[in-house]
Amino acid sequence: MLLEFFSNGFVWTFVVIIAALYHFLKKDRPIFPIVNNYPGDYFRQKAYSAYDKNAKKLIVEGLVENRGPIAILAPGGMKIVLPSALSDWVKTNRDLDHQELVREQFFAHFPGFEAQYTLHCSDRILINLLRTKLSQNEEIMPIINQHIGPALQYYWSDSKAWHFLDWENDTTGIISRAAASIFVGPEKATDPEWQNIVQSYVREFFAAAGELSGWKVPLRPIVQWVLPHASACRDLRRQACNVMENVVQRRIQEAKAAEAQGAAVPQYNDVVDWTMQISENNHSAGDIQLALAMAALFTTSEIFRQILIDIARHSELLEPLRQEIKKALADHDLGLAALAKMELLDSVMKESQRQIPISG
C-alpha cells in the first residue's frame, strides 16, 4: 500500500514537473522569429548572454534576415522589434501604450520609484503641462538665462588659467540649475541641498534600474528592499517630498496672508505653481520634481556635453555662432523670435545630437 502511494505520488510529481517545464518553454512564444533562441538553451542563459553582449547586432541582422518583425529574449521578458517601415502604424495604433511599457520596464510600481509612475502616468498631467506651459512660454527664457551665468561661474569659474573640470558632474549641475529655475522656482533653484537631492536621485534611479534588471522577475519585489541603489531611491524620494511639501505649504500661507491683507497674491512662473492650479492633480510635489529631473537631466546633460565637444573640435564655428547669437538678440531680445533666427546654432545642435553614440 505504501509502495503504491509513493509510486502514484512519483507519477503525479513527474507529470506536474513535465507540465510546468512545457509551460515554461512554451509561454510567451511569439509568432515572429526569435533571433537569440538556441537549441538546448532551456533556461535561456545563452540567450540572455547574447542579448547583453550583442543586442544591437542581433536586432540589425535579424531585421535584415527576416524582413519583418522579430523577437528577442531578454532578462526582463521577451521583446518584439518592428522594422522602421511600421513606424507610422505604431504611432497611430491606439492599442499600443508606450507609457505603460516604460512604467513596467523601469519599475514604476516599486516604492522609491513613484517619480517614474508620475512621469508616465496615464493622466498625462506632466506631459500635457510641459507642452502647454513650457515649450511655448516665452516668459521663462529670461528666468533660465538669469541662472545660467551664475551656474557657469559656480562650476567653471571665470579663471582663464588651466584647471581641472569634473566633466560629468559639472555639466549635469549646470543643466540642473537652469532647469530648476523653472521646475522648482526661486525657493530651491540654487539651494545646494536640493540640487544634491535631485542629481543624486537621477544617478541612483538609473543605477537601481540596472541593478534590478539583473535579477529574475519574481525576485525583484523582494530584493529591491535590500539593494543599495533602490534603497537610496527610497531615501532620496522621502527627502524630496519633505522639501517640496514645505515649499507648497509656504506658498499657500503666502497666498492666504496676502488675501487677508487685501494685497496681491505672489505670482510664480514655475512647475510648482502650475501643478498647484490643477485640481485633478494627485501627484505629490516631490514626485513631480523628481520626475522632471529624470526627464531633463540625463538626456539634456548628454546633449550639452556633446555640443561642447563638437564645438571644441570645430573651433571655426565659434565666431559664426557668436555673431548669429548677437544679431538675433539685438533684433529680438531673448525670446522665441530670437531663437527662431539662430539657424546655424539649431543645425549645430541637431548634428551634435545625431553624433551621440548609441550604446548596445
Side-chain angles (χ1 to χ4, degrees), residues 50-237:
Y51 173 84
D52 290 335
K53 296 177 181 178
N54 300 302
K56 182 178 179 180
K57 182 180 179 181
L58 286 168
I59 291 172
V60 171
E61 293 180 351
L63 290 172
V64 171
E65 180 181 348
N66 294 282
R67 299 182 180 182
I70 59 172
I72 186 167
L73 296 170
M78 189 175 295
K79 314 296 181 188
I80 294 175
V81 182
L82 304 179
S84 58
L86 295 176
S87 58
D88 289 337
W89 174 80
V90 170
K91 287 189 292 186
T92 57
N93 192 322
R94 296 183 180 275
D95 293 329
L96 301 177
D97 189 346
H98 173 70
Q99 305 298 325
E100 182 179 352
L101 173 65
V102 176
R103 291 196 300 270
E104 179 183 330
Q105 292 292 303
F106 288 94
F107 315 106
H109 55 289
F110 285 174
F113 292 68
E114 289 87 349
Q116 185 64 228
Y117 180 83
T118 297
L119 182 60
H120 295 282
C121 185
S122 58
D123 60 24
R124 300 177 65 85
I125 280 183
L126 275 189
I127 294 175
N128 293 333
L129 188 73
L130 295 179
R131 285 177 177 173
T132 58
K133 290 285 191 178
L134 192 64
S135 61
Q136 298 298 320
N137 188 345
E138 197 163 36
E139 295 179 2
I140 68 174
M141 296 183 66
I143 299 173
I144 296 175
N145 188 52
Q146 291 171 7
H147 286 76
I148 291 290
L152 289 169
Q153 189 171 30
Y154 176 84
Y155 286 102
W156 288 343
S157 79
D158 293 329
S159 175
K160 295 183 179 180
W162 286 97
H163 57 282
F164 288 103
L165 302 179
D166 190 341
W167 183 241
E168 295 282 338
N169 289 334
D170 289 357
T171 48
T172 301
I174 292 167
I175 296 299
S176 180
R177 285 200 175 201
S181 64
I182 299 303
F183 290 169
V184 75
E187 297 97 334
K188 295 295 178 180
T190 59
D191 179 49
E193 179 187 11
W194 175 252
Q195 287 294 327
N196 180 62
I197 290 173
V198 293
Q199 292 178 44
S200 297
Y201 183 86
V202 173
R203 288 193 298 268
E204 294 294 340
F205 173 83
F206 286 107
E211 193 176 50
L212 281 164
S213 296
W215 289 82
K216 300 294 185 183
V217 175
L219 295 176
R220 291 172 185 172
I222 301 172
V223 299
Q224 57 99 12
W225 291 108
V226 295
L227 293 177
H229 296 296
S231 299
C233 285
R234 290 193 297 274
D235 182 56
L236 290 165
R237 187 252 175 183

Side-chain angles (χ1 to χ4, degrees), residues 271-321:
V271 171
V272 178
D273 186 68
W274 301 338
T275 52
M276 287 176 65
Q277 297 177 26
I278 301 175
S279 57
E280 62 271 24
N281 174 33
N282 295 317
H283 306 284
S284 75
D287 288 333
I288 289 172
Q289 292 298 321
L290 294 179
L292 291 170
M294 282 195 300
L297 297 194
F298 184 80
T299 53
T300 309
S301 299
E302 190 176 50
I303 294 171
F304 179 45
R305 286 189 285 269
Q306 187 67 39
I307 292 171
L308 293 178
I309 291 170
D310 288 340
I311 292 178
R313 286 174 174 168
H314 300 277
S315 57
E316 70 276 7
L317 290 170
L318 282 172
E319 193 56 31
L321 284 171

